[in-house]
Amino acid sequence: MPFPLTEHQRLVLLAQEYQRRGYHTTLYPAKQVLPEPLQDFFIGLIAQADQALIVADVRTRENLTLAGAFDLHQIARSVDALPNATFELVVIANEVRSPPPFTHSRQEYSP
């Protein structure tokens, strides 16, 4: 069973997915790179192709707190105000867990 990814790891994979589809991607874009309505937010990823703009973020369920949900709502509203822009949110498992320790139990064989 694969172990959950961190938000950053999943964001990198998402950027690679968009690149395979022909988008130019920027992880954690600087304020100056973002359209004005988004400059007050911390954005995980933007993907651009032709006139299309995708604003994306990855959050754990744990980070979808009331304050986090409000922030996402504000980002989504700001993206809606931009032409040809969409907002995508990827929600992943709460935490990255270490693999369980390997335990070996010796059983005697008796025919």
Side-chain angles (χ1 to χ4, degrees):
M1 176 176 170
F3 295 98
L5 298 173
T6 65
E7 290 175 350
H8 173 75
Q9 289 169 325
R10 184 60 183 100
L11 201 59
V12 169
L13 291 174
L14 187 60
Q16 291 170 349
E17 291 173 28
Y18 287 127
Q19 289 169 2
R20 281 191 293 274
R21 291 194 248 162
Y23 286 85
H24 171 74
T25 62
T26 305
L27 287 170
Y28 311 112
K31 179 179 180 175
Q32 305 86 322
V33 176
L34 295 169
E36 188 176 334
L38 298 174
Q39 290 181 354
D40 291 334
F41 302 107
F42 178 78
I43 304 294
L45 168 70
I46 58 171
Q48 297 171 289
D50 298 322
Q51 298 298 317
L53 171 67
I54 298 174
V55 178
D57 205 357
V58 174
R59 302 276 175 102
T60 61
R61 285 186 208 110
E62 187 175 77
N63 286 338
L64 290 176
T65 61
L66 203 50
F70 179 76
D71 184 48
L72 292 172
H73 179 72
Q74 294 299 318
I75 293 170
R77 284 184 55 194
S78 296
V79 171
D80 280 345
L82 297 170
N84 303 315
T86 58
F87 178 63
E88 294 190 10
L89 174 65
V90 177
V91 180
I92 60 174
N94 281 348
E95 60 188 50
V96 176
R97 296 185 178 113
S98 300
F102 177 75
T103 56
H104 177 70
S105 61
R106 187 177 183 144
Q107 296 179 340
E108 296 295 322
Y109 174 75
S110 56

